[in-house]
Amino acid sequence: MITTDQKESRVNLTVFGEFTLADYKEFEEVVNYKVKFEGPVSLFFDLREMSGFTIDMALEEIRFARAHAHDFARIAILTDDQWVAWSAWLSKIFVDADVRVFEDADDAEAWLSGIESPVA
């Protein structure tokens, strides 16, 4: 299950439990709308409550990232899981965005707002 929250030029996504293809498609709709009407957006993924993801979701994420390589400004990923952090760094291959992984929500929020965090 996911929740999304939209702000100006930004989409926040929180994942609870398993991240499925249906969840990712819902996220894509929100992002596509924002990009169409606002241009490049920043993304904030809160993955602290994610228990895993499906393979079809992971493949869709790669496809979506490649199709939108220039549509993201900054991507903050909030997690304390080293494997999720590793896959986030791998996603940097597909997008021009500045991607950073955080363990603290306040640091991620500050960075997305343009305030550099001492821990990046």
Side-chain angles (χ1 to χ4, degrees):
M1 181 177 115
I2 65 167
T3 62
T4 58
D5 177 40
Q6 300 177 46
K7 298 182 178 185
E8 185 176 337
S9 299
R10 184 166 142 193
V11 175
N12 296 341
L13 172 78
T14 303
V15 178
F16 301 95
E18 186 175 54
F19 199 3
T20 66
L21 180 59
D23 294 331
Y24 200 84
K25 292 287 190 177
E26 180 182 332
F27 163 73
E28 284 179 354
E29 287 181 30
V30 173
V31 171
N32 285 332
Y33 181 85
K34 294 290 277 186
V35 167
K36 181 177 179 177
F37 292 103
E38 297 181 18
V41 297
S42 291
L43 304 174
F44 180 33
F45 291 95
D46 184 344
L47 305 179
R48 295 175 293 180
E49 299 297 322
M50 182 177 78
S51 63
F53 55 88
T54 61
I55 296 297
D56 55 353
M57 187 288 305
L59 294 172
E60 180 65 16
E61 178 184 22
I62 292 168
R63 186 206 61 77
F64 186 73
R66 291 181 67 204
H68 293 277
H70 309 291
D71 292 334
F72 308 120
R74 289 183 169 194
I75 302 172
I77 300 161
L78 185 60
T79 184
D80 54 7
D81 183 302
Q82 75 178 39
W83 293 110
V84 172
W86 177 83
S87 68
W89 292 117
L90 185 62
S91 71
K92 291 174 74 168
I93 295 169
F94 303 109
V95 295
D96 292 337
D98 191 359
V99 179
R100 293 198 189 173
V101 176
F102 297 87
E103 290 185 10
D104 182 80
D106 292 335
D107 288 344
E109 288 283 351
W111 179 73
L112 283 172
S113 300
I115 302 166
E116 287 302 315
S117 170
V119 179

